[in-house]
Amino acid sequence: MNMTLRRAALTLMSAVCWLQLSVPVLAQTTVLTGSVARSDTLNSYPVVGRQQVRVAVPPFGYAPIPAGVSTTRKRPVVRTVYVRDRRTYWQRHPKVRAVAIGAGVGAGAGAVTGLISGRGVLRGAAWGAGSGAGVGLVRSSRTMRRHPIMRDTATGALVGLGIGGAASRHGRRIGQVTAVGAAVGLGYGLLKDGLR
């Protein structure tokens, strides 16, 4: 009877041990055969994101960082957007536009001056175009906008140079007319901006 009980107990223990050990063995077998459930069904739980806090570091020395505070810094998001520039050439280059307008107006004024003085229309147009381009450049300069009296003086000098070059052939006369133009421009600038 004792032997029969011992055999039954051993058989029962071996059956229990076999059942307990068979679960990992079956799991290993299923992995090898490829019958494991897909990962999207296993990871269907919502993921809770981490909150990152920026910590200001003092300029001198080190400060203790509180527990639970992340010191990672986020990089700023930079996006490059390419937009087609729909402006015209003259809108993109205002200085070139000012020089072209000044040269055109100056060429016309120089041609009239050369015609009246009898020194030649083409010669007057060339002098007028050169001085008009200079006037356009001076009037469109940002530096000269900050100094309006100097801008008016330079404008008067360039106008005088164009008129003197278109109307006379002598260098001394050109210098005199340029000096007169600079004086007129200086006076205009002082009356307009300096005596407020």
Side-chain angles (χ1 to χ4, degrees):
M1 189 77 161
N2 250 349
M3 281 303 256
T4 316
L5 271 170
R6 280 184 184 174
R7 268 190 196 165
L10 282 173
T11 306
L12 184 64
M13 281 177 72
S14 66
V16 168
C17 288
W18 183 81
L19 281 174
Q20 286 181 349
L21 291 174
S22 68
V23 174
V25 169
L26 289 175
Q28 188 70 21
T29 315
T30 55
V31 168
L32 292 175
T33 56
S35 62
V36 175
R38 290 185 175 180
S39 62
D40 55 355
T41 60
L42 294 175
N43 296 332
S44 61
Y45 299 105
V47 179
V48 179
R50 248 177 34 178
Q51 183 179 4
Q52 295 182 349
V53 181
R54 290 189 180 186
V55 178
V57 181
F60 301 106
Y62 296 98
I65 299 172
V69 175
S70 174
T71 58
T72 59
R73 295 182 181 175
K74 290 183 180 178
R75 288 186 176 178
V77 177
V78 178
R79 292 182 181 153
T80 305
V81 179
Y82 296 99
V83 180
R84 186 175 175 185
D85 193 4
R86 297 190 183 276
R87 296 178 299 169
T88 63
Y89 178 81
W90 303 112
Q91 290 171 341
R92 288 196 306 268
H93 303 89
K95 287 189 186 295
V96 177
R97 178 175 175 238
V99 167
I101 290 173
V105 172
V112 170
T113 305
L115 182 66
I116 291 172
S117 66
R119 301 298 182 197
V121 175
L122 291 179
R123 182 173 180 275
W127 273 98
S131 65
V135 168
L137 191 60
V138 165
R139 300 303 286 183
S140 66
S141 172
R142 290 182 183 175
T143 306
M144 287 296 193
R145 282 182 193 168
R146 291 194 297 265
H147 307 286
I149 297 173
M150 290 299 298
R151 180 179 62 180
D152 293 334
T153 305
T155 301
L158 286 169
V159 169
L161 177 69
I163 291 173
S168 67
R169 292 184 182 173
H170 304 289
R172 189 181 68 184
R173 193 59 64 92
I174 293 173
Q176 289 173 353
V177 176
T178 303
V180 169
V184 170
L186 178 62
Y188 174 74
L190 286 174
L191 285 174
K192 186 180 76 169
D193 297 313
L195 300 177
R196 285 185 181 178

